[in-house]
Each structure stands twice: as C-alpha cells, then as structure tokens.
Amino acid sequence: MSASSSVPVLTIDGPSGSGKGTVSRRVAEHLGWHLLDSGALYRAVGYAASMADIDLSDGDAVTRCAHSARIRFRPSEDGSDTRVWVNGHDASDELRTETCGATASAVAAIPSVREALKAKQLAFRKRPGLVADGRDMGTVIFPDAPYKVFLTASAAERARRRYKQLKEKGLSVTISGLQREIEARDERDASRPVAPLRPAEGAMLVDSTGLSIDEVVASVIALVQADT
Ligand code: C5P
C-alpha cells in the first residue's frame, strides 16, 4: 500500500450546477482537508490551448499543451478565495465563463488529456485528507476513496442557479439558453467513451433540487463523520 492510499478521500462527482463546487469547498473547510477542483484543471487546459491558438480537434497538440501548461492554485491576496494561475497569468475569471466550460468539456473528451492530468490530480492526496470535486473522482481517479457522493439537481434548477450567479456578475444571459447549454454539456459528459459522468459504485446519491446548501453540506459531513 502506498503512503498516499492511507490518506482518506471524499469524492464529490456530479454535473455542473449541482452545487458540487460550493459543497466541496464548505465540506473541505469543515473537515480541514485539502480540496481538488478537477474541473479547473480541464478549464485551464482548454484556456491554455485557446491562448496558444491550438485547434481543439487536434488531440495530440492539446495533449502536449496539457503536459506543458503550468497550472497553479494560489490563495487570493485577502485569503478568501483560490485563484487559478495558468502559464503565469491569473486566469480565474476567464476560467469561470460558459465558453471556457464548453472548451473544457471538449478537451476532457480526449483520453490522452485525461491521462496527462491524472498525476496532477493524484498529487493532491495529502494528509489529513482530500475532498475531490469532479466527474470521475470516484470512478477513475480515486476508486479506492472511502467516501463517495454523487450530487445532482434537475437541469432547470441548475440553469436557475447559474443564471443567478451570472446576473450578479452583470452578464447578459437567459435561463432557457443556459438550460440548453447545461443539457448539451451533460449529454457530452455522460456519453463520452472515456470516463463518462456516472455515479461511482457505492456512492451516496444526493439530489439537491429543493435542498439548501446547508442541508447538502450537513448530509455529506455526516457521511464522513459516521465513520470517524
Ligand atoms: O466542473 P466544471 O464545470 O468546472 O468542469 C468543466 C468541464 O470539465 C466539465 O463539463 C467536464 O467536461 C470536464 N471535467 C471532466 N472531469 C472532471 C472535471 C471536469 O471531464 N473530473
């Protein structure tokens, strides 16, 4: 058994807008564990590839970019947030856009890109524990994780949440347009042959439609604490 395999991991997988990001961050803070936002890695590769004018259908070129991109997670100056730096540039704001989400989903469908990002993800497994947020955390990256959650919400509910977030940032979007984008991305993520989005065996299924973030956070913490 390697030293890292004795470090506990809680995997939180699910589609975008299910509340995974917020729930993962809050649970990691509560437990005092590290946090892996694996979606940010795919977004960063998509961003680096776009910056380098790489054609996203050229899998070899995108894979080289995934290997060479310098992706760093650093606390913001006031410590309230984590910023993502890509090739020496704070790209956090660009990474959160819908365009970058769609680019991430395209590069994430390339098997060699997923392989290139595997070691970077495994390196987050450090004491005292890790909360890993993504699509294949429990199925592919940390299959031996002792705690697994699959978080969902209806597409309409996820579109409403995303609409609220983007409106707060002053962006001009419509709920129906967002719902269409969300459904298209879900379909791509669930139907790709490599690491399709699906619940890991034994994962606790949580449908967050109609639940508050506090309720979801409490049920996920209870899963870990029931065992410790
Ligand atoms: O979670 P987030 O919306 O940031 O992820 C962006 C995209 O990256 C997803 O739509 C998905 O295609 C891809 N992704 C993935 N595997 C992960 C995390 C994200 O394929 N573990």
Side-chain angles (χ1 to χ4, degrees), residues 2-87:
S2 74
S4 72
S5 63
S6 64
V7 175
V9 178
L10 161 66
T11 61
I12 305 188
D13 290 308
S16 55
S18 56
K20 267 179 319 122
T22 311
V23 171
S24 300
R25 196 176 57 248
R26 295 246 324 250
V27 172
E29 273 166 15
H30 181 92
L31 296 172
W33 287 9
H34 300 281
L35 176 66
L36 164 62
D37 173 3
S38 61
L41 291 175
Y42 289 95
R43 286 173 185 261
V45 170
Y47 171 81
S50 308
M51 286 292 107
D53 272 333
I54 291 171
D55 176 356
L56 297 183
S57 63
D58 181 347
D60 290 343
V62 179
T63 304
R64 280 196 296 278
C65 179
H67 279 291
S68 65
R70 281 172 292 117
I71 307 167
R72 305 274 180 271
F73 294 84
R74 294 191 184 131
S76 59
E77 267 174 26
D78 65 3
S80 65
D81 192 13
T82 298
R83 310 293 296 176
V84 189
W85 288 68
V86 183
N87 293 332

Side-chain angles (χ1 to χ4, degrees), residues 129-144:
L130 173 68
V131 177
D133 158 2
R135 304 289 191 290
D136 61 343
M137 299 293 96
T139 50
V140 177
I141 305 295
F142 301 107
D144 65 334

Side-chain angles (χ1 to χ4, degrees), residues 12-17 20-21 36-43 95-97 100-109 114 117 121 132-138 141 162 185-186 188-190 192 194-197:
I12 305 188
D13 290 308
S16 55
K20 267 179 319 122
L36 164 62
D37 173 3
S38 61
L41 291 175
Y42 289 95
R43 286 173 185 261
L95 295 195
R96 289 197 190 109
T97 62
C100 204
T103 312
S105 167
V107 304
R114 305 196 72 84
L117 292 181
Q121 297 176 79
D133 158 2
R135 304 289 191 290
D136 61 343
M137 299 293 96
I141 305 295
R162 193 74 187 127
R185 185 132 68 96
D186 284 356
R188 219 171 24 239
D189 289 347
R192 67 182 174 215
V194 54
L197 175 64

Side-chain angles (χ1 to χ4, degrees), residues 79-180:
S80 65
D81 192 13
T82 298
R83 310 293 296 176
V84 189
W85 288 68
V86 183
N87 293 332
H89 166 72
D90 179 353
S92 316
D93 296 337
E94 290 97 324
L95 295 195
R96 289 197 190 109
T97 62
E98 293 305 299
T99 313
C100 204
T103 312
S105 167
V107 304
I110 304 170
S112 48
V113 167
R114 305 196 72 84
E115 205 46 48
L117 292 181
K118 200 166 175 185
K120 284 194 207 307
Q121 297 176 79
L122 293 175
F124 277 77
R125 188 171 194 170
K126 289 194 189 128
R127 289 201 180 286
L130 173 68
V131 177
D133 158 2
R135 304 289 191 290
D136 61 343
M137 299 293 96
T139 50
V140 177
I141 305 295
F142 301 107
D144 65 334
Y147 313 107
K148 297 183 182 182
V149 171
F150 193 81
L151 193 56
T152 54
S154 68
E157 170 75 15
R158 290 185 283 133
R160 266 196 301 278
R161 290 177 186 166
R162 193 74 187 127
Y163 178 80
K164 204 164 150 253
Q165 280 174 350
L166 296 175
K167 275 288 171 193
E168 277 164 11
K169 284 195 209 147
L171 297 176
S172 149
V173 281
T174 63
I175 295 191
S176 56
L178 286 171
Q179 185 167 336
R180 272 195 303 279

